[in-house]
Amino acid sequence: GKTGTLRYMAPEVYLVVRHTYDEKVDIYSCAMIFWFLCTGTRAFDRMTDVMAAHSACVAAVRPPISSLPYRDMKPIVTASWDHDPRKRPSAEQLLERLQMLQRPACCGLFR
């Protein structure tokens, strides 16, 4: 447990809820990285890594989704950083949702 960057760590890893994890911990981290890539701002930028992890993992605080400039990414990021890992998409589901952003009917990230 507690392996990785605290700021991007899934709640179940930080809290050591269980000793076996699945891909959903990486999906959570990916959502935090998506938020950083889309906003150019590190999540919980005014907090230490420990404070950020505690806020996200114990109080279920997330960066403000309203700060994401790409509306098509909002539901993807929100689902991917859900506090309950069972509600997060699988890696395959996440990839499918991201691929849909590339389709002409969607206009992708350029909305």
Side-chain angles (χ1 to χ4, degrees):
K2 293 193 182 182
T3 300
T5 304
L6 289 175
R7 188 172 300 275
Y8 301 106
M9 190 176 291
E12 60 272 26
V13 177
Y14 180 77
L15 299 172
V16 193
V17 172
R18 53 192 165 139
H19 295 287
T20 57
Y21 310 117
D22 59 17
E23 69 184 358
K24 302 295 182 88
V25 299
D26 297 322
I27 299 300
Y28 176 92
S29 297
C30 192
M32 298 300 279
I33 293 167
F34 283 158
W35 193 87
F36 174 66
L37 292 171
C38 290
T39 64
T41 306
R42 200 170 60 142
F44 310 114
D45 199 36
R46 295 193 169 126
M47 297 180 186
T48 66
D49 286 344
V50 173
M51 288 170 49
H54 184 80
S55 294
C57 299
V58 176
V61 175
R62 300 293 182 267
I65 198 69
S66 61
S67 295
L68 277 180
Y70 309 111
R71 70 177 184 212
D72 291 329
M73 283 298 290
K74 290 178 182 182
I76 294 170
V77 170
T78 301
S80 298
W81 70 23
D82 196 289
H83 198 74
D84 183 348
R86 295 169 296 181
K87 294 181 180 178
R88 295 179 206 144
S90 66
E92 183 177 352
Q93 291 167 332
L94 180 57
L95 181 59
E96 288 170 5
R97 292 177 81 175
L98 291 170
Q99 287 173 334
M100 288 181 66
L101 296 180
Q102 295 178 328
R103 295 193 178 135
C106 183
C107 297
L109 296 178
F110 302 104
R111 287 188 162 178

